[in-house]
Amino acid sequence: MEDWYGKHYSYFQNRECEYFPCHKGADPENFSCLFCYCPLYALGDRCGGGFTYSKNGYKDCTNCQIPHKRENYGRIIARYQDLAELTRKK
């Protein structure tokens, strides 16, 4: 088991949020709000999530629950280096 599992920093829930849970069909008992705005969004089509593109070419992550599941904290954190590379000055 991962060393972060069960730690408070790896899971957060805001049941008072007007949008909770913000994805249809999500399990409210296992819904994490920690990554409310998915940090992997910036990776475009390399994010690994279940997204589609809108007519205007924007990512639509409505059907993706990867950042909202408790067990995916490590999956998100593991991609930090990919995100950091996007900001590296070349």
Side-chain angles (χ1 to χ4, degrees), residues 70-82:
R70 181 188 306 260
E71 64 269 17
N72 289 334
Y73 174 83
R75 182 176 177 175
I76 300 292
I77 296 303
R79 301 293 304 275
Y80 178 78
Q81 195 59 44
D82 296 331

Side-chain angles (χ1 to χ4, degrees), residues 3-4 19 22 25 41 43 56 62 65 69 73 84-85 88:
D3 63 340
W4 53 262
Y19 301 102
C22 59
Y41 183 89
L43 295 174
N56 298 333
T62 304
Q65 295 183 31
K69 291 187 176 181
Y73 174 83
E85 189 62 31
R88 189 171 74 131

Side-chain angles (χ1 to χ4, degrees), residues 4-5 26-27 35 43 46 54 64 74 79:
W4 53 262
Y5 194 81
D27 175 10
F35 299 118
L43 295 174
R46 298 181 305 124
S54 70
C64 180
R79 301 293 304 275

Side-chain angles (χ1 to χ4, degrees), residues 22-24 26 31 35-54 57-68 76:
C22 59
H23 290 265
K24 285 186 180 181
F31 193 88
F35 299 118
C36 179
Y37 290 97
C38 183
L40 304 183
Y41 183 89
L43 295 174
D45 59 4
R46 298 181 305 124
C47 71
F51 66 91
T52 59
Y53 282 103
S54 70
Y58 294 103
K59 280 177 68 174
D60 177 356
C61 304
T62 304
N63 295 318
C64 180
Q65 295 183 31
I66 289 173
H68 299 297
I76 300 292

